[in-house]
Structures are given as C-alpha cells and as structure tokens.
Amino acid sequence: AFRALFRCATNPSSGSLANMARRPAKCYRVIKNKAYPKSRYCRGVPDPKIRIYDAGMKRYSVDAFPSTTHLVSFEKEQVSSEALEAARIAANKYMVKNAGKDSFHLRVRLHPYQCLRINKMLSCAGADRLQQGMRGAFGKVQGTAARVAIGQIMLSIRCKDVNAPKASEAFRRAKFKFPGRQKIVVSRQWGFTKFTREDYVAWKQEGRLVHDGVNAKLLDNHDRMDKRKPNQLFMAPARIYKVACKPAEEEEA
C-alpha cells in the first residue's frame, strides 16, 4: 500500500492527479487582487481555449453591415476563456444557420489575459500521510480568464437591418454560457464605428469619410493640406464638441 501511495506522489500520471477535473469557474468569478497576466515572471501559462475572435465576414466593408448589436455585461467579474469560446460557438452557430454565413460579422471584445492559479494536492487514499497543505500554496497557473467591468461590451455582431432580430436571438443563447447578468443592446452607431447612423450617412454624402477596413476615418478641417486630395479639403468643422454640424443649406432653410 505504501508503494502505491509513493508511486502516486512521485508519478502524477499514474495517480489521481491526471484524472483530476478542472476546478469550476465559480471559484474564480470574483475579482479580488491585482491583475496577474502572463509575463517573463509568470511562465508556463496554458493557451486560452478561445483562439478565434472574429467570425463571419470579417473582411466586408464598413458599408456592408450598418446594424450593430452588443452583449453588455452588468457584473464586475472574471469570465473564463472556456465560457468565451462556448458563447462564440453558440452565437456563430445560430447566425450561420438562420442568417447565413455571409450576412454577419461576429467579434469577441474580451481577451483572457488574467492567469488563474491552483494549488494541486493529492486526493488518493492516504494522501494525508504524504502531503500536508500550506507548503508552497501559491499555486501554478491552471487557465486564463478575462476581467469584465459593468457596462463593458463582451460580444458584438454587425449585420444588415433585416438580420438584427436574429443577432439579438444569437446573443440570448450566448448569455447562457456566462455567469452573472448581461443585457442585449441594439447600438445607434453605424457598424463598428463610433459615428451615429445619421451622422455617417450625412458625412458620407459630403465625402468626409474614408474607409478603414471595418471602420471609417472622419476628415475634419485641420490637417496638412498636402496630404489631402482636392475633394477632401473642408473649411468648416465636421462637429463641434461631438455634435455634428449641419450644412449651410439646411441652416438657411
């Protein structure tokens, strides 16, 4: 019996350490201490379960998908990389099946940088004779998680207006993969940009917007003139204190 215990302690693959289940995520849900990311001091960190952060038609232009839906966190907590991957799969599967694989762009806005530690102990019979607790109890890295604040966006989908209800349903299903509370919010912005839909349409007609992948840059009235094209020179500002300026014809009318 003692030889079996000694073999269990010296060779983890033969003992119950290899069969040990992953500690439930509720043990790591609360944000308690300072951030503990991967660094040259914190080595041996396993890869996070989520490896894909953009799904669907991620290369489509900013004009292709005007509608945007967000999944917003209403809790201050830590979300494991396994939960992020499960939510991404659930949302992506529903959108592909019901809206089509060419009709949306899903983006995961969280990245699991926080390292989660565990102090592994023997759990076989008679382990208390071989191992006592609180010796080097700092623990080794077991997995990773993302820290979420209240009001922070977790997932986003941009699509056409026809598929906006399907995006909300996809996020309703993805909510079951996360702990805590989340809200589904339909954005007023155009796509993944920071401009409202009314401002985006108006500035595009004026020629003030330059496409930048899934985003757009706003051309204002201050910059080097030699870097601009003749049709991109503007005397009036696009907005004053984040409020869009109306063209002169509309003010006279």
Side-chain angles (χ1 to χ4, degrees), residues 8 11-19:
C8 175
N11 187 12
S13 61
S14 63
S16 59
L17 272 178
N19 302 324

Side-chain angles (χ1 to χ4, degrees), residues 79-153:
V79 179
S80 66
S81 61
E82 289 83 1
L84 289 173
E85 175 69 1
R88 182 194 68 83
I89 291 173
N92 183 66
K93 189 174 183 180
Y94 183 85
M95 290 297 292
V96 169
K97 186 176 180 181
N98 294 276
K101 63 178 182 179
D102 298 338
S103 59
F104 73 98
H105 175 199
L106 168 66
R107 173 170 287 179
V108 181
R109 307 285 289 272
L110 299 179
H111 288 255
Y113 290 128
Q114 177 73 7
C115 296
L116 307 177
R117 298 190 301 266
I118 183 173
N119 182 28
K120 286 188 177 180
M121 302 199 49
L122 294 174
S123 58
C124 53
D128 53 336
R129 300 187 182 192
L130 294 171
Q131 185 178 23
Q132 282 119 19
M134 287 307 297
R135 180 176 295 179
F138 187 76
K140 293 185 178 180
V141 178
Q142 181 198 24
T144 55
R147 291 191 164 190
V148 194
I150 296 175
Q152 185 174 350
I153 299 174

